[in-house]
Amino acid sequence: MPSEFIQWFPGHMTKAIRMMKEEIKPVDCVIYVLDARIPRSSINPSFDEIIAGKPRLYVLNKADLVPQTALNKWIGYFSSLPNSACITSISTKNSDGKLISVLKDLNKEKIERYKSRGIKKTIRAMVIGIPNCGKSTLINSLIGRKKAVTGNKPGVTRGKQWVSVDPYVEVLDTPGTLYPDFSDQKKALHLAFVGSVRDEIVDLTFLSQQLLNFLKENYPAEFQLKYGEAESIDYIAKKRGFVLKGGAPDSERASKAIINDFRKQSFGKIILEKVDE
């Protein structure tokens, strides 16, 4: 793998980190949104110092895309961390209520302390996560209407948005932010696979070949069902009729197709990172 396959930290992410530092003081707790396909790579070390000491509710978003057994292990892991809880992504109104309930339970001591003084405490939670992990979608689900801006590309949320999601709960959406240093290129690959890094800055041919290698090794049955005995991008290009003038395989078009196949769940439920790896 190239030593610097991915290196991307645009200016608005630097501003996002600065904004988080400025806004963290009145925040009671953190809603840490993770992509369930890459829980480990969804943890941004840049956040550690900023949110130190704050209760954390980890939300494994896009949970319907991964095998339940692997998901349960990650729920157990994050739930076992000090001063933390973990739930899966929101899909129904009942689960909206569960998130708010767990959030209040995480802040129970503070709520009771204010209650003893005759004050109804409003919990203020900062929503954080990497690009394209589903933060804004989560907030939209909580408030039941489109108030936060969403998009299917990283880097959509840019500004400061405090939103009331319950009479006693307010959340602050923050821009998706990546690491300033991609020293772990395996994590960088995983982020690129799920679209948390812009495709425009990535060598898609290299990325798609790495994805094929991963799927063939870890999900051989699913791989064979989709691609048969494919060994390379060129093989898949020819099989799909992606050819250039003269009959040469169109590897660029095939690369994009392979990545899209993964993102559209053509291989079924896939998780890229397991707790015990």
Side-chain angles (χ1 to χ4, degrees):
M1 186 186 304
S3 59
E4 293 186 357
F5 166 59
I6 298 173
Q7 199 61 251
W8 186 54
F9 194 70
H12 74 269
M13 292 190 183
T14 303
K15 294 178 181 177
I17 292 292
R18 188 182 308 124
M19 184 267 276
M20 288 173 64
K21 290 178 179 178
E22 292 170 352
E23 298 295 329
I24 195 65
K25 189 172 182 180
V27 168
D28 298 298
C29 60
V30 170
I31 300 175
Y32 209 138
V33 183
L34 312 176
D35 187 317
R37 295 168 295 179
I38 53 167
R40 189 175 290 112
S41 296
S42 295
I43 299 294
N44 187 340
S46 301
F47 298 157
D48 292 349
E49 184 178 350
I50 300 172
I51 64 176
K54 301 287 184 181
R56 302 178 193 183
L57 172 56
Y58 292 97
V59 179
L60 284 165
N61 208 13
K62 308 182 183 182
D64 58 318
L65 306 183
V66 304
Q68 189 64 46
T69 302
L71 180 68
N72 290 341
K73 290 182 179 180
W74 277 114
I75 293 172
Y77 170 77
F78 286 113
S79 297
S80 70
L81 297 178
N83 211 16
S84 300
C86 181
I87 64 173
T88 57
S89 53
I90 293 173
S91 57
T92 67
K93 288 185 178 180
N94 289 337
S95 54
D96 292 358
K98 181 181 179 181
L99 186 148
I100 292 173
S101 176
V102 173
L103 205 59
K104 289 179 178 178
D105 192 55
L106 262 179
N107 293 273
K108 188 175 181 179
E109 288 185 14
K110 183 172 286 189
I111 291 172
E112 291 299 323
R113 191 163 64 247
Y114 275 82
K115 187 176 180 180
S116 67
R117 292 156 49 190
I119 303 171
K120 290 185 177 180
K121 169 64 177 171
T122 297
I123 298 302
R124 307 193 88 187
M126 177 181 282
V127 185
I128 64 174
I130 59 174
N132 205 30
C133 66
K135 293 182 295 79
S136 296
T137 301
L138 181 145
I139 292 174
N140 290 340
S141 180
L142 281 172
I143 64 179
R145 60 189 183 279
K146 211 157 191 174
K147 194 167 183 178
V149 180
T150 62
N152 59 3
K153 290 186 177 181
V156 171
T157 304
R158 296 292 180 91
K160 190 165 56 172
Q161 302 182 72
W162 274 106
V163 181
S164 176
V165 298
D166 179 87
Y168 302 107
V169 177
E170 293 181 351
V171 296
L172 173 64
D173 194 9
T174 60
T177 309
L178 283 176
Y179 326 158
D181 174 24
F182 275 127
S183 54
D184 187 335
Q185 287 289 293
K186 183 177 180 180
K187 288 184 178 180
L189 271 176
H190 291 174
L191 290 164
F193 286 159
V194 303
S196 289
V197 178
R198 287 192 184 279
D199 289 341
E200 293 82 358
I201 71 149
V202 178
D203 181 340
L204 292 182
T205 302
F206 177 81
L207 183 67
S208 60
Q209 185 61 59
Q210 293 298 310
L211 180 57
L212 288 179
N213 295 345
F214 172 86
L215 292 170
K216 192 166 185 179
E217 180 179 350
N218 296 278
Y219 293 89
E222 292 85 347
F223 179 93
Q224 188 167 39
L225 186 64
K226 181 67 179 177
Y227 290 146
E229 299 299 325
E231 293 288 346
S232 66
I233 297 169
D234 286 350
Y235 179 98
I236 294 170
K238 290 178 180 178
K239 188 176 180 180
R240 288 197 176 183
F242 297 160
V243 293
L244 301 169
K245 288 183 179 180
D250 189 340
S251 58
E252 183 177 350
R253 186 179 175 191
S255 296
K256 291 178 181 178
I258 292 165
I259 294 166
N260 285 334
D261 282 345
F262 168 73
R263 293 176 184 171
K264 292 177 180 177
Q265 296 85 59
S266 295
F267 301 95
K269 296 180 182 291
I270 302 290
I271 191 166
L272 297 168
E273 300 171 349
K274 297 178 181 178
V275 173
D276 49 3
E277 289 180 343

